[in-house]
Amino acid sequence: MTNLPLKAANSATTLIVLLVSHLAAHAHDPNRPELNHWFESLKSGKGPCCSNTDGIAVAGPDWESKGDGYRVRLYGQWWDVPPEAVIVGPNLTGRTIAWPVYEYIDGMPARVTNIRCFIPGPMM
């Protein structure tokens, strides 16, 4: 007996995640290189936010204030932003940005498991 259907399903899931990841808006506009240093210096209570290419710009309907914290929707799923993940300081982009933590399967990002950093944009 073979696990071919399971392998095909895992491959299809990985492909979908990769396509969605590729289509997600990157947080850093390459036309604004003056923000490179700012992006590289960002850190939350969970540590450095990593590269400017790791962050995802989040549209207005996909994040909200919840009690004393925030929620963000990534890839169709809502996540409570851990308080220690919120970046305190000015947001030089004016856009809401989340830095997700991924679970990797076979070296490929398979799903979001947590939020490493989050900086809110303006509330509309």
Side-chain angles (χ1 to χ4, degrees):
M1 179 167 216
T2 178
N3 288 331
L4 190 58
L6 181 59
K7 287 182 181 179
N10 284 340
S11 294
T13 301
T14 300
L15 179 61
I16 290 168
V17 168
L18 289 174
L19 287 173
V20 170
S21 298
H22 179 70
L23 296 175
H26 291 287
H28 184 23
D29 180 352
N31 294 322
R32 297 194 59 196
E34 70 276 11
L35 294 179
N36 289 350
H37 179 72
W38 177 77
F39 269 103
E40 294 297 331
S41 71
L42 290 175
K43 58 185 167 197
S44 71
K46 297 182 101 179
C49 298
C50 299
S51 165
N52 57 42
T53 60
D54 295 335
I56 298 172
V58 181
D62 292 327
W63 74 282
E64 63 187 15
S65 176
K66 179 186 174 196
D68 291 339
Y70 298 96
R71 287 181 359 125
V72 61
R73 183 170 40 204
L74 299 173
Y75 310 115
Q77 182 177 349
W78 282 98
W79 292 87
D80 288 328
V81 175
E84 64 274 14
V86 178
I87 299 169
V88 178
N91 182 341
L92 299 183
T93 69
R95 297 164 53 179
T96 301
I97 305 170
W99 285 261
V101 176
Y102 296 97
E103 174 184 356
Y104 285 80
I105 297 175
D106 295 328
M108 304 300 288
R111 68 183 183 100
V112 173
T113 60
N114 204 335
I115 307 298
R116 174 185 299 277
C117 297
F118 176 82
I119 190 165
M123 298 288 287
M124 298 291 175

